[in-house]
Amino acid sequence: MINSVFYKDLQPAQLLEKITNCPIAYLPIGTLEWHGRHMPLGTDMLIPETVFAKVAESAGGVVLPPLFLAPDIKQKINGKKFAGMEICGFEKNKPNQLFGNCYHISEKLFYKILNGILENLKRNGFKYLVAHGHGPSMNAFSKYKGKFQKKYGIKCFTLFDLGFTETDGIQTDHAASNETSLVMSINSKLVDIENLNQDEIPVAIWGKDPRTDASIEYGDKLISTNVEQVVISLKKITENLDNSQLPKIEFSNIKSLIGK
């Protein structure tokens, strides 16, 4: 029988045991977004999903499927819509479409999606939700986390709330040395630094130059030190939980559908 921290892999009894022991859900709030010519479009999902898995293995809890839809700054010029790094990565009022971007929704819709996720997490007995990934998604999540806690009784955190720093945390730039090092650590085959040499100025890279400042070693250090800090924080938060009794999965009035 598989022993996984991913919700999608678990059988009902396995999920119940994990929630009873540690009712934390981890939500990667990523995007399908340009991360330079050298990185995968799913960088914002890959990084938090991997980090959350390592945290869950030590602190407990369950990793939810990634959410790739996200809010961001937006602009409309000559009938074309632009978002995020399509605006930030270019001169004022001269946005460019970045091929592969496939994520932008309104903050109103993003809130509705998060609200639906929280409602379902409450139904299944989760008490905590940790979300991390795309910067604007984390900003929106942080904006509403107090409202979610009051409405559903689920305490909400980003990884920055649990000990990450703005310099050596997880995902503190955009496709620059921090995120590039993290992906190199997770799967170096997904990164091709040489692709950055196609442009005199690397397109939509925000932070320290990954060509000189990114490495597998730096990514390894970022993951290990931050996972350790988050595990310590979460264990303190959940240390007084009563998980002595595992509920049973029982049913009544079952209708036989076998052979129908």
Side-chain angles (χ1 to χ4, degrees), residues 8 52 61 82 104 113 128 178 188 195 229 250 254 259-260:
K8 63 182 177 60
F52 281 150
F82 303 92
H104 185 263
I113 293 172
Y128 306 93
N178 182 281
S188 61
N195 284 342
Q229 177 59 52
E250 297 179 329
I254 301 171
K260 296 292 185 181

Side-chain angles (χ1 to χ4, degrees), residues 29-84:
I29 43 178
T31 54
L32 292 173
E33 178 189 21
W34 176 284
H35 274 75
R37 293 184 185 272
H38 66 303
M39 293 249 280
L41 294 160
T43 289
D44 276 348
M45 294 184 287
L46 174 65
I47 293 173
E49 186 176 51
T50 301
V51 171
F52 281 150
K54 292 181 179 295
V55 171
E57 286 167 1
S58 296
V62 179
V63 182
L64 300 171
L67 173 61
F68 79 89
L69 297 172
D72 212 328
I73 60 170
K74 57 184 178 180
Q75 191 174 17
K76 187 174 182 180
I77 296 180
N78 297 327
K80 289 186 177 181
K81 296 180 180 180
F82 303 92

Side-chain angles (χ1 to χ4, degrees), residues 179-191:
E179 287 193 324
T180 300
S181 296
L182 290 166
V183 176
M184 291 171 75
S185 174
I186 293 165
N187 185 350
S188 61
K189 293 180 180 180
L190 297 177
V191 181

Side-chain angles (χ1 to χ4, degrees), residues 27-217:
L27 177 64
I29 43 178
T31 54
L32 292 173
E33 178 189 21
W34 176 284
H35 274 75
R37 293 184 185 272
H38 66 303
M39 293 249 280
L41 294 160
T43 289
D44 276 348
M45 294 184 287
L46 174 65
I47 293 173
E49 186 176 51
T50 301
V51 171
F52 281 150
K54 292 181 179 295
V55 171
E57 286 167 1
S58 296
V62 179
V63 182
L64 300 171
L67 173 61
F68 79 89
L69 297 172
D72 212 328
I73 60 170
K74 57 184 178 180
Q75 191 174 17
K76 187 174 182 180
I77 296 180
N78 297 327
K80 289 186 177 181
K81 296 180 180 180
F82 303 92
M85 294 306 296
E86 295 178 335
I87 301 168
C88 298
F90 301 93
E91 294 179 5
K92 186 176 181 180
N93 295 323
K94 295 182 179 180
N96 285 231
Q97 183 176 2
L98 294 171
F99 187 76
N101 273 14
C102 186
Y103 71 93
H104 185 263
I105 57 174
S106 68
E107 185 175 319
K108 183 177 180 180
L109 178 55
F110 185 66
Y111 168 79
K112 287 184 177 180
I113 293 172
L114 288 177
N115 189 73
I117 290 172
L118 268 290
E119 184 176 7
N120 282 281
L121 292 178
K122 177 179 174 61
R123 170 185 170 175
N124 284 283
F126 287 99
K127 303 296 183 184
Y128 306 93
L129 175 62
V130 185
H132 201 84
H134 180 58
S137 295
M138 286 191 284
N139 292 337
F141 176 78
S142 295
K143 178 179 176 180
Y144 295 113
K145 63 185 181 182
K147 185 174 182 178
F148 289 142
Q149 180 173 330
K150 185 176 181 180
K151 187 174 182 180
Y152 296 111
I154 296 176
K155 294 183 178 180
C156 298
F157 309 92
T158 69
L159 291 180
F160 290 113
D161 298 322
L162 299 172
F164 279 22
T165 68
E166 292 296 332
T167 53
D168 291 318
I170 299 293
Q171 295 178 272
T172 59
D173 61 23
H174 183 85
S177 63
N178 182 281
E179 287 193 324
T180 300
S181 296
L182 290 166
V183 176
M184 291 171 75
S185 174
I186 293 165
N187 185 350
S188 61
K189 293 180 180 180
L190 297 177
V191 181
D192 190 346
I193 293 290
E194 292 300 317
N195 284 342
L196 291 179
N197 294 327
Q198 295 185 42
D199 303 300
E200 183 178 350
I201 300 175
V203 178
I205 307 295
W206 192 344
K208 291 183 179 180
D209 194 333
R211 293 171 295 185
T212 55
D213 293 325
S215 68
I216 293 174
E217 293 74 22

